[in-house]
């Protein structure tokens, strides 16, 4: 039987967590609950968004776009922590947790998404999408914070993708008890829920068919794979 741990605020060992969890839990002397960690994350990034837009006199649309992105990233943190903690409670073979957490593939997916996004931002003729949003060339601090928030989003999107793929692998390879099946379905539903919430980014992404199509395609793909994982769960009778 796999050792069960606290659903959200437990103390899992490193290598059995998302990289995000390891970073938060690895700071010496810092012991934050889930609400505290997410609250600090949101307040810090929101303070940077509001402070920079006020200091540089940027339009309200820029502040609104930053706030939406920060909020979606914070919700992504909630989803990540729930999925991670709920997964550690599952009565599944150790290989499942090693595959989900130990491989750090979610970081690879996040990096690929971030590089693709930055490539889009830095190529083309005329003002960059960020400059179009704020109405002028972007000051260095604004660019830095914008890229930091963009990485935050890409990492969480990569985590959602990897969770969906591992869930599908789980359903195809492992038979579970009815109780474990119910828990797995809740995890899959949480992943779909976060993917759907990412649609909140649509009003603030550039009015570009490629960008909108990529976001919609990501949401549809994660929802489809997670739904397939749910439907294909095999239980012991």
């Amino acid at each position: 039987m796999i050792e069960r741990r606290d659903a959200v605020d437990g103390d899992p060992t490193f290598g059995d967590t998302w990289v995000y969890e390891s970073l938060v839990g690895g700071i010496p002397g810092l012991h934050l609950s889930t609400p505290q960690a997410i609250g600090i994350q949101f307040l810090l990034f929101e303070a940077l968004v509001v402070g920079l837009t006020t200091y540089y006199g940027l339009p309200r649309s820029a502040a609104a776009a930053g706030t939406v992105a920060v909020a979606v990233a914070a919700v992504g943190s909630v989803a990540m922590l729930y999925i991670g903690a709920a997964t550690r409670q599952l009565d599944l073979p150790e290989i499942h947790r090693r595959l989900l957490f130990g491989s750090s593939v979610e970081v690879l997916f996040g990096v690929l998404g971030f590089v693709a996004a930055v490539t889009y931002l830095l190529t083309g003729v005329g003002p960059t999408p960020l400059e179009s949003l704020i109405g002028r060339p972007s000051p260095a601090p604004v660019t830095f914070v914008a890229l930091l928030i963009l990485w935050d989003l890409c990492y969480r999107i990569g985590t959602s993708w990897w969770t969906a793929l591992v869930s599908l692998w789980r359903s195809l390879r492992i038979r579970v008890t009815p109780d474990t099946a119910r828990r797995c379905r809740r995890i899959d539903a949480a992943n779909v829920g976060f993917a759907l919430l990412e649609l909140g980014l649509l009003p603030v992404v550039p009015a570009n068919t490629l960008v909108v199509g990529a976001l919609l395609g990501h949401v549809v793909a994660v929802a489809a794979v997670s739904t397939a994982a749910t439907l294909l769960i095999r239980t012991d009778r």
Side-chain angles (χ1 to χ4, degrees):
M1 181 69 69
I2 295 174
E3 178 187 0
R4 299 185 183 279
R5 299 181 174 99
D6 182 73
V8 175
D9 293 322
D11 186 24
T13 58
F14 293 140
D16 199 19
T17 62
W18 303 117
V19 171
Y20 169 74
E21 293 178 280
S22 298
L23 288 173
V24 173
I27 300 176
L30 187 63
H31 302 285
L32 298 175
S33 66
T34 295
Q36 289 173 332
I38 295 171
I40 291 174
Q41 171 191 333
F42 178 82
L43 291 175
L44 176 61
F45 279 103
E46 183 63 8
L48 288 171
V49 169
V50 174
L52 288 173
T53 53
T54 301
Y55 180 80
Y56 287 104
L58 303 182
R60 292 182 179 178
S61 58
T67 296
V68 170
V70 169
V72 172
V75 174
S77 295
V78 175
M80 282 181 63
L81 292 174
Y82 169 76
I83 291 171
T87 297
R88 289 187 290 271
Q89 288 190 329
L90 294 176
D91 188 10
L92 291 175
E94 181 68 21
I95 187 175
H96 177 265
R97 290 211 303 272
R98 289 205 308 267
L99 184 63
L100 185 63
F101 300 117
S103 63
S104 295
V105 173
E106 86 277 8
V107 178
L108 173 61
F109 283 179
V111 168
L112 292 175
F114 181 72
V115 170
V118 171
T119 299
Y120 168 76
L121 290 175
L122 297 181
T123 56
V125 179
T128 67
L130 181 58
E131 291 173 346
S132 298
L133 177 64
I134 66 176
R136 62 178 181 173
S138 176
V142 174
T143 301
F144 177 83
V145 172
L147 291 178
L148 190 60
I149 294 173
L150 180 62
W151 162 250
D152 215 27
L153 287 169
C154 289
Y155 172 62
R156 279 148 184 77
I157 288 172
T159 300
S160 182
W161 249 113
W162 185 232
T163 298
L165 292 174
V166 173
S167 291
L168 182 60
W169 175 88
R170 171 209 69 209
S171 296
L172 294 174
R173 298 290 300 272
I174 303 172
R175 286 188 177 275
V176 298
T177 65
D179 179 66
T180 298
R182 285 191 294 271
R183 293 169 180 262
C184 288
R185 291 187 180 101
R186 292 193 196 106
I187 292 173
D188 296 338
N191 197 27
V192 172
F194 173 55
L196 293 175
L197 283 173
E198 291 167 30
L199 294 176
L201 294 170
L202 282 175
V204 301
V205 298
N208 179 286
T209 303
L210 178 62
V211 176
V212 173
L215 180 59
L216 290 175
H218 156 71
V219 172
V220 170
V222 168
V225 174
S226 296
T227 300
T230 293
L231 296 175
L232 293 173
I233 291 177
R234 299 178 298 166
T235 60
D236 295 321
R237 301 296 181 182

